[in-house]
Amino acid sequence: MTMFTNGFSTLLMPKDFEPVNAKDEFTELYLVNTSIPMSIKFSTTPTLVGLPEIREDIEKNLKNNDKISLINSDFIAINEDIYYMVVSSFSDGENEIKRNEFLYVEDNNLYIFEFTYPYADRELDDFYLNIIRSLKISVPKYIVENGEYRINHENK
């Protein structure tokens, strides 16, 4: 069992997935398995809003994008925490792709798990829920004050 940690968060990395360099400052971990094919992205961003506002924005953006179909959008309990789950699909021209996102807010930090895989693949409920359940937050990565954010260096 391989664990990922960045000093702020720790989570289980599934077997047979390879890390890829992140393309933006908020992506903590980006993994791919080309044999499935599937990608897993874990991000942390600062936020001043809660899950209801995040849900409203995501649903509005998806409804305004005719290339993405919203399959499911709901609040769910994972462990003892409430997550916002959004399942969508889109086409890259050749393949139908499914994306399951799980979002969680704690201490002005938004934690996002994004699982992307071919639409025709089996449901992966236990697979991604086990990864999400493994998340341990040591300290918030971002401190949000006066409309600005900074990395939390004091408690790391």
Side-chain angles (χ1 to χ4, degrees):
M1 177 180 344
T2 305
M3 298 299 281
F4 160 81
T5 187
N6 61 4
F8 303 101
S9 307
T10 302
L11 59 93
L12 176 66
M13 292 192 324
K15 187 179 164 191
D16 299 327
F17 278 76
E18 297 294 324
V20 177
N21 286 338
K23 303 217 184 324
D24 65 73
E25 71 174 296
F26 300 116
T27 300
E28 308 292 341
L29 180 65
Y30 188 69
L31 301 170
V32 295
N33 181 330
T34 54
S35 65
I36 296 179
M38 180 181 198
S39 68
I40 301 170
K41 184 172 152 183
F42 172 66
S43 306
T44 306
T45 66
T47 185
L48 288 173
V49 299
L51 290 179
E53 294 90 348
I54 292 168
R55 177 184 186 172
E56 188 177 309
D57 284 348
I58 288 175
E59 287 180 359
K60 185 173 94 179
N61 288 336
L62 289 177
K63 286 177 183 158
N64 291 333
N65 188 334
D66 59 353
K67 293 181 176 22
I68 300 175
S69 299
L70 179 62
I71 297 170
N72 190 7
S73 171
D74 206 352
F75 296 106
I76 63 168
I78 300 176
N79 295 340
E80 307 220 351
D81 301 312
I82 299 298
Y83 280 73
Y84 167 56
M85 177 189 72
V86 59
V87 180
S88 59
S89 69
F90 59 95
S91 175
D92 66 3
E94 293 180 23
N95 302 304
E96 191 79 15
I97 306 295
K98 187 172 180 181
R99 181 172 53 214
N100 295 12
E101 295 174 88
F102 296 83
L103 299 90
Y104 172 68
V105 174
E106 182 178 305
D107 295 325
N108 296 329
N109 283 245
L110 171 62
Y111 301 90
I112 306 167
F113 291 90
E114 181 181 306
F115 302 88
T116 306
Y117 55 96
Y119 190 76
D121 263 10
R122 67 198 184 283
E123 289 299 318
L124 299 166
D125 293 347
D126 286 337
F127 175 81
Y128 51 69
L129 288 175
N130 287 336
I131 295 169
I132 295 167
R133 286 182 182 120
S134 77
L135 175 64
K136 301 287 183 257
I137 301 167
S138 304
V139 294
K141 181 174 183 177
Y142 297 103
I143 304 292
V144 182
E145 296 174 325
N146 304 319
E148 297 181 353
Y149 69 89
R150 60 180 161 72
I151 293 183
N152 181 3
H153 290 291
E154 297 89 43
N155 297 318
K156 186 174 173 188

